[in-house]
Amino acid sequence: MLNNSDEFHRRILNLPAIRPCESVSLPTLLTSLINLGRSICRFKSKTFFTNKPNATNSIRLIEALLIFLEDLRPTAAPPRSESSTALCLSELHFIFQKLRFLLEDCSRDDARLLMLAKSEEASTHFRVLINAVAVALDVLPAPESGAGEEALEVAELVRKQAAGSSCQVGRDDRRAMRRILRITGRFGRGIAPEPVDLRRALDDLKIGSWGECNDEIKCLESELGRECGTVEKREVALIGSLIAFLTYCRCTVFLRVERSRKNPVYQEVDDRSVRVLRSDDFRCPITLEIMRDPVTLLTGQTYERSSILKWFGSGNCTCPVTGEKLTSVDLVPNLALKHLIMHKFQERVKIDESRKQSTIDTCSVAAEQAMALLANFLVGRLVTGTNEDQNKAAFEIRLLTKTSNFNRSCLVEVDAIPSLLELIRSTSRALQHNAMAALLNLSKYPRGQKIIMENEGLDIIVEVLNNGLTGEARQHAAGTLFYLSSVEDNRRKIGRTPGAIQGLMGVLSDGEDRGKKSALAAFLGLLVHPENHWRVLEAGLVPLLVNLLRSSVNGDLVADSLTVLAALAVKVDGAVVIVSAGILPIIVQILGTSNSRDAREYSVSLLLSLCSNDATDVVPILVKNSSLMVSLYSLISDGSPRSTKKAASLIRILHAFNEKSSSSLAQEQFVRVW
């Protein structure tokens, strides 16, 4: 009778409920109601971090009401009283649904602070729902219900208690919230709170570890993203201040990083599970766009939620892919696929997160001041802390600068970069890894790039690129070079730095897929500077890319490799080296067999550049390949506007060559006749 799929997309204190259908029989309705009541009673074993008195009182009332419900015999009631009984049970069913969601929210161990901040709203929900129970029991025709005398007395007792329930915010909750607001108020005035005050506030919420604190932050960030999507944005400043409070606590109070495993949404994904999937595996079959909210039908096919809802809204009742007629249009959230998409396309996810983060930065003075205070604290740990303190500080900087330009600016202004440059020379694998990752994030900030170069950071980063203690550190070094290469003068300096190009090729040769993508992106940035073309050609990049195209099954890597080759092919010397490497059959094969739209588009771009710069050798070979035209016309029919235009240009070149060859052959035959 209940569809639970919505709970994965439900906001805190959004309590969806569906009134039972009028055609449902009373025994079925009563059975469902009893099951709902029992599920509510199971919350008795849960821990309520906030709103505890209201929650426990509600559960006690439902426990008592179950005694009455389990004694009901509605089938024995006359038809006239059945309608009143049905009305009562239907209303209770509606109330129980909402109450269950409310108790879920109050017992969530990753939403303690959010629920504390919403205590007034939560208590109002409790009061409305409990009073509604009393109203529902008022219309119950007790004599005809079939319940025993003791059960009826219990029902009357529950009605009276529910009618008199006030459901106020608890005194402990009010005191805890006042304490947190005092701390955020100090942040707003630029004053660092005392550690003992932070501890007391965390004790009120029973937050005792780094992982629990981080889970709270994740929950608040998720709520903030939803709040930013509303028109009013009433709670943006408050939620931003709460995130700032917990972030400050996470960095200053907890000395050890302990990852939480309670919420699988925040667990890291094994790259091996992503590596075997292509980008097209994440596209909606209807729109061909990367899915953000994938849902699965009964046929097992997965679609973007909004797309399939439009399909159904147009009057269709079949699966778009299989054509099978659907007996049910229920949508099941594909959380596993959603998690993989978030992991594989984290750069796109970061864009949304950065927008969300910028809202915190600009809408909460407390958040701004807290970050400024925190930046000074963390840099102090980098300079004077123990090895463990330095590693923890570098890790926190890495997290803080992942998406927020404001956080990056705060840390750059308090000289975090010189300290991090010193630490990436560390012999500690973890410290070098975290320091290099933090530098990567700070290199995304324009002033951060300038400070890195001014502090001779390029040589240090290139050293890590070649001799880093971990593959991850080398990968982050490659990514840092990519961001540094966004400045023209830096491209020239990187190209001339001994070991830079060789180091990137090393990551491209033996790194993980993510590291290879970073190296390819760095090469693409370097090739904007003309001087670097002959440097990478001389270093042997083309044969390495050809081997990567032959061996890689990762569609993204193939597309990125083709992009770099296309950038090299715009010059004659690059085109000659590429053709000499025997790459033409590989490109034609990718164009004809790849399921990746990007790979096919870049294949055409590369072939077009090769035909333009080395036409004498390339065009005659391509003309002889009978399958190429089929692939090009296929791309024209289902490719993007840009790829369609390029495919059409290549077809014209090939046709022109054929016509010219036919004309020359005809003239030669004419001369022979004479």
Side-chain angles (χ1 to χ4, degrees):
M1 180 173 283
L2 292 175
N3 187 349
N4 294 327
S5 64
D6 286 337
E7 71 178 280
F8 296 108
H9 307 277
R10 184 176 62 87
R11 287 190 67 178
I12 290 286
L13 294 184
N14 178 22
L15 313 176
I18 302 173
R19 295 191 182 277
C21 179
E22 293 182 1
S23 61
V24 175
S25 66
L26 278 181
T28 301
L29 178 60
L30 180 59
T31 300
S32 179
L33 182 60
I34 291 173
N35 289 334
L36 259 178
R38 288 170 180 168
S39 70
I40 289 173
C41 292
R42 283 195 287 272
F43 281 95
K44 190 174 183 179
S45 61
K46 301 277 188 179
T47 300
F48 294 98
F49 301 99
T50 59
N51 298 283
K52 185 174 181 179
N54 294 331
T56 53
N57 181 55
S58 301
I59 294 172
R60 279 199 299 268
L61 284 176
I62 302 305
E63 280 182 324
L65 190 55
L66 272 178
I67 297 174
F68 165 72
L69 293 174
E70 290 171 348
D71 200 55
L72 272 180
R73 299 292 183 270
T75 53
R80 184 168 182 175
S81 65
E82 255 189 17
S83 61
S84 298
T85 302
L87 178 62
C88 171
L89 297 183
S90 178
E91 189 64 23
L92 287 175
H93 195 281
F94 185 76
I95 296 166
F96 279 19
Q97 292 176 59
K98 287 180 170 290
L99 185 57
R100 184 178 64 175
F101 282 127
L102 182 56
L103 292 171
E104 279 183 4
D105 290 342
C106 290
S107 61
R108 276 186 60 172
D109 56 5
D110 64 342
R112 307 173 200 186
L113 180 53
L114 181 57
M115 286 303 298
L116 180 65
K118 291 177 175 284
S119 290
E120 195 72 50
E121 184 180 350
S123 63
T124 300
H125 279 299
F126 275 114
R127 183 167 57 254
V128 169
L129 292 176
I130 296 305
N131 290 342
V133 170
V135 173
L137 292 175
D138 272 338
V139 302
L140 183 70
E144 294 85 10
S145 65
E149 185 176 344
E150 291 183 2
L152 290 173
E153 290 177 358
V154 170
E156 179 62 18
L157 178 62
V158 169
R159 188 192 65 78
K160 289 180 179 179
Q161 290 180 348
S165 178
S166 59
C167 295
Q168 299 297 322
V169 178
R171 184 172 56 185
D172 291 342
D173 289 348
R174 290 187 185 277
R175 185 178 65 249
M177 194 61 204
R178 283 197 301 267
R179 179 173 286 147
I180 291 171
L181 291 177
R182 281 197 298 270
I183 293 173
T184 57
R186 288 175 68 90
F187 284 146
R189 298 190 298 274
I191 303 172
E194 296 295 328
V196 65
D197 292 333
L198 297 175
R199 276 290 182 188
R200 286 172 181 166
L202 292 172
D203 288 343
D204 288 338
L205 295 166
K206 296 181 176 59
I207 296 176
S209 70
W210 188 96
E212 290 177 341
C213 190
N214 195 51
D215 281 348
E216 290 283 320
I217 294 171
K218 294 288 187 182
C219 177
L220 284 166
E221 287 176 344
S222 176
E223 185 69 12
L224 179 67
R226 296 186 178 104
E227 184 64 24
C228 289
T230 64
V231 177
E232 300 86 357
K233 297 180 172 58
R234 289 175 299 183
E235 298 181 338
V236 165
L238 173 62
I239 298 175
S241 298
L242 298 180
I243 292 173
F245 159 72
L246 284 174
T247 302
Y248 191 90
C249 290
R250 188 190 70 189
C251 296
T252 62
V253 174
F254 300 108
L255 302 179
R256 296 178 55 196
V257 175
E258 300 166 345
R259 297 185 183 275
S260 172
R261 297 182 179 274
K262 293 179 181 178
N263 195 337
V265 174
Y266 305 134
Q267 291 179 8
E268 294 185 359
V269 184
D270 185 351
D271 278 343
R272 289 172 294 181
S273 64
V274 182
R275 205 173 299 150
V276 298
L277 297 173
R278 305 181 306 271
S279 300
D280 291 348
D281 294 322
F282 302 120
R283 296 184 188 275
C284 173
I286 298 175
T287 64
L288 301 180
E289 299 294 333
I290 301 298
M291 291 181 283
R292 301 180 66 85
D293 186 10
V295 292
T296 302
L297 301 182
L298 287 176
T299 58
Q301 298 295 325
T302 298
Y303 303 90
E304 172 65 26
R305 178 183 292 271
S306 60
S307 302
I308 193 63
L309 287 177
K310 286 181 183 178
W311 172 265
F312 291 147
S314 301
N316 300 297
C317 58
T318 58
C319 174
V321 170
T322 65
E324 182 179 342
K325 189 171 183 179
L326 299 172
T327 57
S328 170
V329 293
D330 286 345
L331 305 177
V332 180
N334 194 329
L335 298 182
L337 182 59
K338 184 175 183 179
H339 190 199
L340 289 172
I341 292 172
M342 291 176 65
H343 179 75
K344 188 174 182 68
F345 299 96
Q346 54 187 307
E347 287 300 325
R348 300 187 187 184
V349 175
K350 286 177 187 175
I351 294 174
D352 294 335
E353 291 179 347
S354 63
R355 290 175 184 160
K356 179 173 61 183
Q357 183 67 43
S358 66
T359 305
I360 303 174
D361 302 336
T362 55
C363 294
S364 173
V365 175
E368 293 180 9
Q369 296 297 327
M371 185 58 222
L373 293 167
L374 186 54
N376 278 294
F377 172 84
L378 292 172
V379 172
R381 286 297 182 97
L382 291 180
V383 175
T384 62
T386 64
N387 188 276
E388 187 174 353
D389 291 339
Q390 291 173 331
N391 185 43
K392 169 72 160 45
F395 180 73
E396 294 290 0
I397 292 173
R398 174 186 177 182
L399 293 184
L400 290 169
T401 56
K402 194 172 184 180
T403 58
S404 170
N405 251 336
F406 177 76
N407 291 354
R408 293 167 191 156
S409 68
C410 288
L411 285 153
V412 166
E413 293 304 321
V414 295
D415 292 332
I417 288 177
S419 299
L420 290 169
L421 286 171
E422 287 295 324
L423 293 178
I424 64 174
R425 290 170 164 166
S426 171
T427 56
S428 166
R429 295 165 63 90
L431 181 53
Q432 185 186 73
H433 177 199
N434 287 321
M436 193 65 249
L439 269 176
L440 166 62
N441 292 336
L442 292 176
S443 70
K444 300 173 185 178
Y445 184 62
R447 179 159 167 74
Q449 298 165 5
K450 182 179 178 181
I451 293 177
I452 289 173
M453 300 301 288
E454 288 175 349
N455 285 268
E456 299 180 352
L458 179 56
D459 290 334
I460 303 173
I461 293 168
V462 170
E463 175 63 25
V464 175
L465 179 66
N466 286 280
N467 302 307
L469 301 176
T470 64
E472 290 84 359
R474 296 175 63 205
Q475 167 192 314
H476 295 322
T480 305
L481 290 186
F482 163 68
Y483 286 106
L484 291 177
S485 67
S486 62
V487 179
E488 175 60 30
D489 190 50
N490 291 348
R491 298 184 194 114
R492 178 181 58 82
K493 291 179 179 178
I494 294 170
R496 294 180 178 181
T497 300
I501 291 176
Q502 290 78 4
L504 289 172
M505 289 179 61
V507 173
L508 192 57
S509 175
D510 55 23
E512 295 292 329
D513 281 1
R514 192 180 299 179
K516 291 178 180 179
K517 285 179 67 67
S518 297
L520 288 168
F523 274 122
L524 201 58
L526 292 177
L527 288 173
V528 177
H529 185 65
E531 186 181 290
N532 289 326
H533 273 256
W534 69 265
R535 294 184 187 278
V536 300
L537 291 175
E538 188 178 70
L541 177 61
V542 170
L544 186 59
L545 291 176
V546 172
N547 288 333
L548 188 60
L549 289 177
R550 285 196 178 104
S551 60
S552 179
V553 294
N554 185 320
D556 290 340
L557 276 181
V558 170
D560 291 345
S561 300
L562 290 167
T563 307
V564 176
L565 286 168
L568 286 169
V570 297
K571 292 192 174 183
V572 175
D573 56 348
V576 170
V577 173
I578 292 171
V579 173
S580 300
I583 198 174
L584 290 180
I586 301 174
I587 303 173
V588 173
Q589 181 183 12
I590 292 172
L591 182 60
T593 61
S594 177
N595 293 320
S596 169
R597 296 175 67 186
D598 291 340
R600 294 168 68 196
E601 179 175 327
Y602 291 129
S603 295
V604 173
S605 298
L606 178 53
L607 289 176
L608 198 56
S609 295
L610 294 176
C611 288
S612 300
N613 290 314
D614 195 11
T616 305
D617 292 332
V618 176
V619 177
I621 297 175
L622 296 181
V623 167
K624 294 177 182 178
N625 193 309
S626 58
S627 65
L628 178 59
M629 280 297 184
V630 176
S631 302
L632 291 175
Y633 279 112
S634 174
L635 193 60
I636 287 177
S637 64
D638 62 8
S640 66
R642 185 171 59 177
S643 61
T644 297
K645 184 177 179 180
K646 292 180 179 180
S649 298
L650 186 55
I651 289 173
R652 282 196 296 270
I653 291 174
L654 298 178
H655 279 321
F657 179 84
N658 270 329
E659 290 174 1
K660 184 178 179 181
S661 299
S662 300
S663 175
S664 299
L665 181 61
Q667 290 178 3
E668 182 180 344
Q669 290 174 344
F670 179 76
V671 170
R672 286 178 180 176
V673 169
W674 277 94

